[in-house]
């Protein structure tokens, strides 16, 4: 279920991805390591992008849950 979080004054949408839905590998911007297929993680994007929410969504990134929590 998507939720909103604020970090350093910036609003983000955070959407969990279940292990079953994790069907592609991604590079985590927090640790620069792969998020392997089948690993639960979060997808994060800015909701207050200057270019609009759609631009923020298009710039979304997949993070290890732990990396996002400590970012």
């Amino acid at each position: 279920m998507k939720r909103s979080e604020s970090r350093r004054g910036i609003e983000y949408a955070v959407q969990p991805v279940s292990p079953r839905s994790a069907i592609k590998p991604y590079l985590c911007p927090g640790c620069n390591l792969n998020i392997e297929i089948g690993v639960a993680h979060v997808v994060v994007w800015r909701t207050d992008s200057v270019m609009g929410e759609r631009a923020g969504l298009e710039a979304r990134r997949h993070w290890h849950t732990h990396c996002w929590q400590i970012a």
Side-chain angles (χ1 to χ4, degrees):
M1 185 157 224
K2 185 174 84 169
R3 63 185 183 271
S4 294
E5 292 186 19
S6 180
R7 301 279 170 95
R8 298 179 226 31
I10 299 171
E11 291 294 319
Y12 294 94
V14 180
Q15 184 169 335
V17 177
S18 71
R20 188 173 199 186
S21 296
I23 59 173
K24 289 175 51 179
Y26 293 95
L27 185 64
C28 174
C31 66
N32 290 316
L33 297 175
N34 282 331
I35 303 170
E36 300 297 336
I37 294 171
V39 173
H41 61 281
V42 293
V43 180
V44 179
W45 66 93
R46 285 182 73 150
T47 58
D48 63 350
S49 174
V50 175
M51 300 299 288
E53 188 170 350
R54 182 173 176 90
L57 182 59
E58 289 173 358
R60 67 189 176 272
R61 296 291 177 256
H62 293 250
W63 289 70
H64 290 111
T65 303
H66 175 74
C67 292
W68 174 249
Q69 290 172 345
I70 63 172

